[in-house]
Amino acid sequence: MQKRIRQTGIHVLIAIGVCFAALPTLAQGGGSKPAASANPWMNASLSPDQRADMVLKQLTLDEKISLLHGTGDLDSAQLSAEGKASSNGGAGYVVGIPRLGIPGIQMADAAYGVTRSGVNGRYSTALPDDLAAASSWDTQAAYTYGALIGRELRAQGYNMTLGGGVNLAREPRDGRTFEYMGEDPILAGTMDGAVMQGMQAQHVISDIKHYAMNDQESGRTAINANIGKRAMRESDLLAFEIALHDLKSAAVMCSYNRVNGDYACENKYLLTDVLKKDWNFPGFVLSDWGGTHSTVKASAAGLDNEEPGEIFYGAALKQAVLAGKVPMSELDEHVHRILRTEFASGIVDDPPKKSVIDVAGDLAIAQHLAEQSIVLLQNKNAILPLDAAKIHSIAVIGAHADIAMLSGGGSAQVDPPGGNAVAPPGKGAAGWKKNPVWFPTSPLKALQAKAPNVKISYNPGTDPASAAASARTADVAIVFVSQWEREGMDLDSLTLPNHQDALVQQVAAANPHTIVVLETGSPALMPWASQVSGIVEAWYPGSRGAEALANILFGDVNPSAKLPITFPLNEADLQHSGVVKPPPQSTSGYWGADADKKEAAGLPAFQVTYDEGFLVGYKWYDAKKKPVLFPFGYGLSYTTYAYSGLKVTPGKIEKIRFTVKNTGSRAGAEIAEVYAALPASAGEPPKRLVDWNKMPLQPGESRTVTIMLQPKYLSIFDEAKDGWQLVPGAYTFFVGGSSQDLPLQQTVNLK
Ligand code: BGC
């Protein structure tokens, strides 16, 4: 059985990774490493905390300060001489202490692959985006995802990632939805935790962002998110809490926005009360780029490191320490957290060495992960899988499907090998930062390779009438549609842009065997859903997206992914009527020099009020009884499954047992989902996901699964007691293959 990674499994993997720890090396950006005898902190058998304390005692005030800020933004003129000399070219660099063998921290954005590799004359694999990764509901796959990124970071000389976001999709028009893991805190937190474990095992510092409530991009540097503590703890913060649980060497990036009045990067409740005290987070907090707003307040609130420069944590911090406004003990704690994370991650004992990555091996992984993440949403009359022996012609239409597939933009953008496959519009356009980047993975070629004897045509889809004409004479039409997303902007709407709905409608009218493939980073509205036979959500599928898609369409791979986010029927059904826009004086620019800082300085706080509270995603639609297009947890397979024999055994830890059988004729993998409805007195949404199990099943095979539920996942956050609380009463457990298809149900009384 394909088990979700449980702590024990992770520990075994980490133990294997740790044997690298004793290798002799050069400290990156730091010169040769002093011998362990001269520097007792080089003794790897001491704890990271002991080692950090030893180093701390050796540091001058200037050295301490130097660890608490970056060396300048690579993109701006402010990059310091030190940064120029030693930075590996990533988004951020923190100097090392060469005389003590402490390496610099080389940070690269790496949400779905290592970024800026092209700029450095190197190459990285693009994985399917993070929302796609969450669609696999497979923690082993997520671990593999993180491990690949960790290996490729190291091969390019980086020892820290700036990737891995779990902001919940309470606003699915958020332009970074593709960088996050959907709408459920338990799914998002568990999946991102596994990604980070995979990175950690490769001896890089992993990072989680954007802490917290950075749920829209518009005016992100000035917006104030208003939300109650209970709602926040049970939704967005729970995702962070789960992901960070049991991580030894992570960093947390605080976000640009304000939360309940204070900027996230100087928010004592978020950084100290919750993260460092309640969750016992041992790592360090770094600000988002330009997200630091003060010295004394930020330091007291728990911000450890300013990025990317030193406006507040350079000379200003030194002065504040000398003036007694920042106590030395507070400064030392920041430094200790950075040093202990360097030791705990293995970057001191096992620094990265530039090397050539296993391109073919990593592409194979990218393809496998994409195959696990592509969701089959509709399959009328079993139009899929396609049978190359039975069809003679396919009309491929739209979205540059002859040469490429779309990727998500902004700081997460991975450079495509050979450059953007589709030339950006306009002369001398600003490159990948402002334009959609298409990866050279060709659906047309991949389909043709599967069916060499089938005549496959391509029509760009820019003229619906001509596209319909090409579809009319084909056995099957496959229309590719897309919606591009990037950091720094939000979608105006979930409607597909550029008249793509009309394109689908006209093609569907011309050919009853029409299949739509979506390349989106968020849900899309599909007014044509009932008019087409097949619908497949490919997300932004990465370097090998086309090959993965072709395997799904032709049935070499049986789809097994499920939606980590609800696809609504109408825009009006969303929690908010639209993304809240900043006041007009906002520059709202993102990529202009210092735009964020200017915007923050010039823009008064404006408000977003999340009064839907913890009713995020399916919890909202359930509570408001709104029908949806495709529910959370939904996804089809080429086989069928039957559920039976639910037995809930109450105890200290609730135990749930049930059986799933593959009742079809193909092998597949089913994600069995467990939801709970809490007692009415708890005042909770109608149901919440509490666990799941993804299991491979041969035709006719059945498996009985036993799941031990985590008490916290059945609890509520009691604001008065400032802690989690189990509410006594009647709990109903539901089990099935989607949040809206739950054939098994049992109610038990829990004390
Ligand atoms: C983004 C972060 C990113 C950083 C460095 C910021 O603008 O919000 O997610 O890690 O830039 O590139």
Side-chain angles (χ1 to χ4, degrees):
M1 181 176 305
Q2 187 176 4
K3 272 247 150 228
R4 297 173 48 207
I5 299 179
R6 291 293 182 195
Q7 309 310 4
T8 43
I10 291 168
H11 286 143
V12 172
L13 288 160
I14 290 168
I16 295 166
V18 160
C19 61
F20 288 104
L23 295 177
T25 47
L26 286 184
Q28 185 77 37
S32 46
K33 196 168 79 172
S37 51
N39 293 326
W41 53 87
M42 287 303 171
N43 177 353
S45 66
L46 298 173
S47 75
D49 288 307
Q50 287 170 317
R51 298 172 77 181
D53 282 338
M54 287 172 164
V55 174
L56 192 52
K57 289 200 185 103
Q58 307 289 323
L59 296 179
T60 65
L61 177 59
D62 284 331
E63 284 172 330
K64 288 180 185 176
I65 301 271
S66 74
L67 296 180
L68 303 183
H69 61 78
T71 53
D73 194 333
L74 191 80
D75 284 339
S76 82
Q78 299 166 4
L79 184 64
S80 72
E82 214 157 3
K84 274 190 195 116
S86 311
S87 165
N88 194 37
Y93 176 64
V94 175
V95 300
I97 310 289
R99 71 179 182 91
L100 303 176
I102 302 301
I105 305 181
Q106 304 278 5
M107 308 171 184
D109 279 299
Y112 63 91
V114 182
T115 60
R116 297 186 202 250
S117 50
V119 181
N120 299 322
R122 299 183 76 90
Y123 161 86
S124 327
T125 309
L127 296 171
D129 68 42
D130 301 79
L131 189 63
S135 309
S136 76
W137 296 54
D138 179 341
T139 47
Q140 192 64 57
Y143 184 94
T144 305
Y145 191 105
L148 182 147
I149 292 176
R151 283 197 308 276
E152 293 199 2
L153 281 165
R154 285 173 60 86
Q156 299 190 37
Y158 294 107
N159 55 15
M160 176 166 171
T161 165
L162 301 169
V166 289
N167 297 80
L168 291 194
R170 60 174 69 238
E171 176 44 87
R173 289 161 293 208
D174 177 356
R176 301 188 88 168
T177 304
F178 75 97
E179 285 188 62
Y180 302 141
M181 291 201 150
E183 66 191 26
D184 182 81
I186 297 180
L187 179 65
T190 306
M191 293 297 286
D192 196 51
V195 170
M196 291 169 79
Q197 295 281 5
M199 288 177 181
Q200 182 174 271
Q202 295 301 318
H203 296 173
V204 293
I205 300 174
S206 58
D207 168 55
I208 189 167
K209 63 193 187 184
H210 304 88
Y211 186 71
M213 308 308 305
N214 184 181
D215 295 344
Q216 68 166 63
E217 287 296 281
S218 305
R220 61 182 179 171
T221 57
I223 197 164
N224 179 34
N226 297 287
I227 184 166
K229 281 186 183 162
R230 173 174 171 189
M232 184 160 44
R233 294 298 299 263
E234 291 187 22
S235 60
D236 297 50
L237 296 198
L238 180 58
F240 283 93
E241 179 177 5
I242 293 170
L244 287 168
H245 180 75
D246 222 27
L247 275 169
K248 303 276 175 285
S249 61
V252 170
M253 184 190 291
C254 50
S255 54
Y256 284 123
N257 53 294
R258 297 168 162 102
V259 179
N260 293 333
D262 286 329
Y263 278 112
C265 289
E266 53 185 40
N267 192 308
K268 181 175 164 293
Y269 175 73
L270 288 178
L271 304 185
T272 296
D273 300 351
V274 176
L275 177 68
K276 292 182 175 178
K277 288 202 174 136
D278 193 18
W279 301 345
N280 285 320
F281 171 66
F284 68 92
V285 178
L286 73 161
S287 73
D288 201 343
W289 267 228
T292 308
H293 295 273
S294 61
T295 302
V296 176
K297 182 175 177 184
S299 171
L303 177 70
D304 300 304
N305 180 282
E306 175 188 1
E307 290 299 330
E310 51 175 306
I311 298 171
F312 298 101
Y313 271 36
L317 181 57
K318 182 175 178 184
Q319 202 133 49
V321 172
L322 293 174
K325 290 185 188 148
V326 170
M328 188 61 84
S329 57
E330 194 176 289
L331 187 84
D332 284 351
E333 189 191 328
H334 299 316
V335 178
H336 175 93
R337 283 174 174 275
I338 287 168
L339 291 170
R340 66 90 53 207
T341 308
E342 293 204 46
F343 285 116
S345 62
I347 71 167
V348 180
D349 302 316
D350 179 26
K353 287 178 222 68
K354 285 193 179 169
S355 60
V356 177
I357 64 165
D358 173 6
V359 176
D362 285 358
L363 283 174
I365 291 173
Q367 180 175 329
H368 174 73
L369 293 174
E371 288 164 357
Q372 303 309 304
S373 68
I374 294 172
V375 191
L376 177 60
L377 294 175
Q378 182 164 298
N379 195 14
K380 279 196 218 157
N381 304 320
I383 186 161
L384 291 168
L386 299 172
D387 185 344
K390 289 198 184 136
I391 46 178
H392 302 102
S393 55
I394 302 177
V396 170
I397 295 162
H400 306 291
D402 54 336
I403 51 172
M405 295 188 86
L406 192 54
S407 63
S411 62
Q413 182 70 61
V414 174
D415 290 344
N420 195 348
V422 176
K427 259 200 289 177
W432 56 260
K433 289 179 178 173
K434 286 231 163 109
N435 292 293
V437 171
W438 296 82
F439 264 73
T441 175
S442 158
L444 185 68
K445 280 193 194 142
L447 292 169
Q448 192 72 77
K450 289 270 154 210
N453 299 323
V454 175
K455 188 173 156 272
I456 308 188
S457 63
Y458 176 71
N459 180 295
T462 37
D463 170 12
S466 124
S470 79
R472 197 162 290 122
T473 51
D475 291 340
V476 174
I478 308 180
V479 190
F480 288 76
V481 293
S482 66
Q483 165 94 286
W484 182 55
E485 273 180 11
R486 72 158 163 91
E487 174 185 348
M489 65 169 208
D490 296 307
L491 300 178
D492 289 333
S493 133
L494 298 180
T495 296
L496 294 169
N498 305 325
H499 313 293
Q500 293 178 93
D501 287 339
L503 171 69
V504 175
Q505 271 150 349
Q506 292 197 33
V507 171
N511 188 324
H513 303 125
T514 294
I515 297 160
V516 178
V517 174
L518 295 123
E519 297 170 42
T520 67
S522 283
L525 300 178
M526 303 182 207
W528 35 260
S530 64
Q531 295 154 40
V532 302
S533 296
I535 305 176
V536 175
E537 175 57 87
W539 311 112
Y540 302 146
S543 298
R544 272 285 177 91
E547 290 79 1
L549 177 71
N551 275 342
I552 296 272
L553 295 180
F554 277 97
D556 299 82
V557 171
N558 189 353
S560 62
K562 294 191 175 178
L563 294 178
I565 190 166
T566 305
F567 278 49
L569 258 183
N570 301 301
E571 198 103 10
D573 296 334
L574 295 176
Q575 290 96 318
H576 299 266
S577 56
V579 171
V580 186
K581 293 288 179 195
Q585 70 264 41
S586 164
T587 62
S588 96
Y590 163 61
W591 296 108
D594 295 333
D596 286 324
K597 272 164 244 141
K598 277 192 205 138
E599 183 177 273
L603 192 63
F606 69 108
Q607 312 293 325
V608 61
T609 299
Y610 292 126
D611 47 16
E612 75 279 4
F614 46 52
L615 293 180
V616 182
Y618 64 93
K619 294 171 183 165
W620 165 262
Y621 298 102
D622 278 1
K624 302 292 170 192
K625 300 196 168 53
K626 287 177 191 283
V628 301
L629 178 60
F630 297 116
F632 175 82
Y634 169 85
L636 299 173
S637 161
Y638 296 146
T639 188
T640 47
Y641 303 101
Y643 285 75
S644 63
L646 175 63
K647 185 160 183 346
V648 182
T649 316
K652 211 161 174 203
I653 291 181
E654 270 52 61
K655 208 164 83 177
I656 297 228
R657 208 182 64 197
F658 56 90
T659 301
V660 185
K661 180 173 183 185
N662 182 343
T663 49
S665 54
R666 275 174 185 262
E670 171 68 335
I671 299 163
E673 303 163 31
V674 183
Y675 294 82
L678 271 59
S681 63
E684 286 288 303
K687 64 174 182 288
R688 53 162 83 158
L689 179 77
V690 289
D691 211 333
W692 69 92
N693 193 298
K694 186 169 185 176
M695 61 193 100
L697 288 167
Q698 293 301 315
E701 184 184 358
S702 54
R703 284 178 192 265
T704 297
V705 194
T706 303
I707 290 178
M708 309 295 282
L709 291 181
Q710 310 249 15
K712 183 169 281 179
Y713 298 174
L714 295 175
S715 302
I716 65 165
F717 188 81
D718 186 328
E719 240 179 276
K721 293 191 178 131
D722 199 30
W724 292 88
Q725 199 75 35
L726 272 165
V727 179
Y731 285 70
T732 302
F733 292 93
F734 307 90
V735 179
S738 132
S739 66
Q740 288 192 11
D741 180 15
L742 297 165
L744 307 183
Q745 169 172 345
Q746 188 184 337
T747 302
V748 293
N749 263 306
L750 303 181
K751 297 189 186 110

